[in-house]
Amino acid sequence: MKKLKGIGIGIVVILILIVGYTFLPQTVTEVLDRGNPFISQEDVYVQIDEHQPKKGQHRYEYSLIGYTSDGNEKKVTFTSSTILPEGSYLKVDAKGSYVKTWEVVKSHKLPSKAKEEFEE
């Protein structure tokens, strides 16, 4: 009986952690994702669209839908010190919701599956 009670408490704790992680602020999840060994780093390719970025303190925040080299969709959020030109492509180094770096790339440098997604 004590063993079942312990298992039940363990399951409840795990569920609380999962639900809590879902509702954490973006900055906290970025920190957790950065150190999480179960989340792999991947390059996500995004295109700057017509939506204006959010203005923060001396930074502009972009939240965009991008694509991995396999063509899988992924949302990324990153900042820039300047407003980026509409239509430009970026390669974003992401690990979960954590963005390490980003760089501007030419369209001919996009992986074929990501490029197909942008052309649709």
Side-chain angles (χ1 to χ4, degrees):
M1 190 64 151
K2 286 184 179 184
K3 190 174 186 178
L4 287 176
K5 188 176 181 180
I7 291 172
I9 290 172
I11 290 172
V12 169
V13 168
I14 290 171
L15 288 174
I16 289 171
L17 290 173
I18 290 170
V19 170
Y21 179 80
T22 304
F23 295 105
L24 286 174
Q26 178 73 20
T27 54
V28 175
T29 57
E30 286 177 9
V31 171
L32 294 174
D33 286 352
R34 182 178 186 181
N36 188 337
F38 300 108
I39 297 176
S40 60
Q41 178 279 334
E42 59 188 341
D43 292 329
V44 180
Y45 297 87
V46 298
Q47 183 176 27
I48 303 300
D49 58 20
E50 72 278 354
H51 295 96
Q52 290 297 313
K54 288 187 210 172
K55 174 91 164 97
Q57 291 191 351
H58 310 291
R59 305 282 303 169
Y60 297 94
E61 182 180 288
Y62 290 86
S63 289
L64 300 168
I65 299 294
Y67 301 96
T68 63
S69 57
D70 296 331
N72 298 323
E73 187 175 290
K74 181 172 173 109
K75 182 178 181 181
V76 291
T77 301
F78 60 94
T79 62
S80 171
S81 59
T82 61
I83 293 180
L84 300 169
E86 185 179 329
S88 56
Y89 294 101
L90 304 178
K91 176 181 166 183
V92 180
D93 181 2
K95 184 176 180 195
S97 61
Y98 170 70
V99 171
K100 183 176 180 181
T101 60
W102 59 264
E103 64 179 305
V104 177
V105 294
K106 301 288 185 192
S107 62
H108 68 273
K109 295 278 187 177
L110 294 173
S112 60
K113 290 190 179 181
K115 193 173 188 175
E116 288 172 11
E117 294 293 335
F118 289 119
E119 292 173 352
E120 288 182 356

